[in-house]
Amino acid sequence: MSGISFDISDIDELPISERAFKRMPNLRFLHVYRSRDGGKYGMHIPEEMEFPRRLRLLNWEAYPSKSLPPTFHPEYLIELNMPNSELV
């Protein structure tokens, strides 16, 4: 299984491209987290961003957008965990 586990604790600002996952069709898990508190949290998720279609685990602490992209396909998703997110 291929995945990304990304600690954003020391990142003050991180712009994400709408094509960030375009060349990762085999990505199965994505874990974005903060190992420690502190600092400001500036991340922008473009509305047009596409998550990989076969994503099985999406764990994103403090997801910065109010909704998932309209192109999000949860068919293969087994677990969705988004604590402290801005989701409505």
Side-chain angles (χ1 to χ4, degrees), residues 5-22:
S5 185
F6 186 50
D7 184 357
I8 56 173
S9 296
D10 293 326
I11 298 173
D12 289 333
E13 191 163 324
L14 178 67
I16 295 182
S17 166
E18 62 190 46
R19 299 179 325 218
F21 302 111
K22 190 83 169 165

Side-chain angles (χ1 to χ4, degrees), residues 12-77:
D12 289 333
E13 191 163 324
L14 178 67
I16 295 182
S17 166
E18 62 190 46
R19 299 179 325 218
F21 302 111
K22 190 83 169 165
R23 293 189 177 167
M24 299 182 199
N26 296 322
L27 189 69
R28 296 299 181 260
F29 76 88
L30 178 59
H31 183 199
V32 180
Y33 67 97
R34 297 175 76 177
S35 62
R36 62 185 175 279
D37 290 331
K40 67 178 193 178
Y41 181 69
M43 184 180 284
H44 172 71
I45 305 294
E47 188 175 312
E48 302 81 24
M49 186 176 79
E50 291 186 34
F51 285 99
R53 287 188 176 266
R54 293 188 178 257
L55 198 62
R56 294 173 120 349
L57 168 75
L58 178 55
N59 184 342
W60 195 313
E61 184 177 336
Y63 183 77
S65 296
K66 293 191 182 293
S67 64
L68 291 168
T71 57
F72 182 72
H73 298 279
E75 293 90 27
Y76 295 93
L77 204 60

